[in-house]
Amino acid sequence: MKVEHSRGPNFVIEVDEGLATCRVWQRPDLTSTEGAACAEQISRHAEALASDPNARGFVFDLRQAPPIAGPRTTAAVGQMAKAYEVAGKGFAVITADTPMMLLQFRRVVREAAPLRGVVTTDEAEAVESVRRARARR
């Protein structure tokens, strides 16, 4: 059963049988500074979930997010990915099918979670990769 874990101005985190999914959407009324603060808030929630023994992994859905992330946002995503890598759990980012977004997050995830992180444009692939990463533990 899907349960809302937390919510912010441009995101919601839900947990379903130990799998956390965070969906982010674009809010034109938020400044880039406010958006970065939201990313840092998400990171704190994600890192807490990574240390939860019942957590299986994290899917970060950015398909509706702004197409380019600033340095604070990418740093926050890197921290999240690293937390899951260290915990031995899967971490996946779903991006829009845009070259810049894919390149940006592939770099971040490759550096922070080289063994258990994935970036894709496909939700089913993201969920499956998180499940596989957890099984390798």
Side-chain angles (χ1 to χ4, degrees):
M1 182 168 80
K2 196 180 290 190
V3 176
E4 186 174 303
H5 176 271
S6 52
R7 179 178 290 273
N10 69 341
F11 71 90
V12 62
I13 300 174
E14 297 174 319
V15 179
D16 187 7
E17 296 181 11
L19 178 63
T21 301
C22 178
R23 299 188 195 289
V24 177
W25 55 88
Q26 191 165 353
R27 288 264 316 263
D29 59 317
L30 292 179
T31 66
S32 60
T33 300
E34 292 167 328
C38 289
E40 292 165 347
Q41 184 180 4
I42 293 166
S43 181
R44 287 189 296 275
H45 290 298
E47 290 176 60
L49 284 165
S51 64
D52 182 336
N54 296 317
R56 294 180 11 218
F58 195 88
V59 175
F60 196 36
D61 186 347
L62 300 176
R63 291 175 290 185
Q64 300 299 313
I68 297 176
R72 283 177 57 195
T73 297
T74 56
V77 174
Q79 286 178 291
M80 288 183 250
K82 180 84 170 174
Y84 280 85
E85 181 85 0
V86 169
K89 300 172 184 178
F91 182 84
V93 177
I94 309 171
T95 70
D97 193 11
T98 61
M100 182 60 80
M101 190 179 237
L102 280 164
L103 283 171
Q104 191 171 39
F105 287 102
R106 280 184 179 147
R107 178 191 56 79
V108 170
V109 172
R110 182 179 59 246
E111 291 173 2
L115 300 176
R116 299 188 187 277
V118 68
V119 177
T120 181
T121 59
D122 182 79
E123 185 172 7
E125 180 183 350
V127 171
E128 183 57 30
S129 72
V130 168
R131 287 191 176 124
R132 280 193 316 266
R134 181 68 177 157
R136 287 193 305 254
R137 195 163 181 218

